[in-house]
């Protein structure tokens, strides 16, 4: 799953990242831009895969497999 971390002090936000990478970037941001302030803000989780993952590729593979089975049984 991917996450985007938002700064609680300014408008900074990370890209969609893994949890570990997002936390690291947020800590680095606070250390550089808001020294002495503990990291805050909120975390947004991706409802769908923002990386353009397989999407309906799995469904297409199942349909092709069913068509192949149907063609083999028709002989």
């Amino acid at each position: 799953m991917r996450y985007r971390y938002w700064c609680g002090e300014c408008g900074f936000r990370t890209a969609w990242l893994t949890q570990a990478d997002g936390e690291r970037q947020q800590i680095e941001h606070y250390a550089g831009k808001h020294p002495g302030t503990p990291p805050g803000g909120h975390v947004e989780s991706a409802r769908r895969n923002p990386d353009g993952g397989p999407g309906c590729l799995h469904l297409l593979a199942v349909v092709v497999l069913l068509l192949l089975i149907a063609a083999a049984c028709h002989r």
Side-chain angles (χ1 to χ4, degrees), residues 39-60:
H42 68 277
V43 180
E44 181 181 6
S45 59
R47 294 177 188 214
R48 60 182 176 84
N49 188 353
D51 296 330
C56 62
L57 185 60
H58 294 114
L59 178 61
L60 181 61

Side-chain angles (χ1 to χ4, degrees), residues 63-75:
V63 169
V64 169
L65 182 62
L66 289 174
L67 287 172
L68 288 173
I69 290 171
C73 291
H74 185 28
R75 292 183 194 177

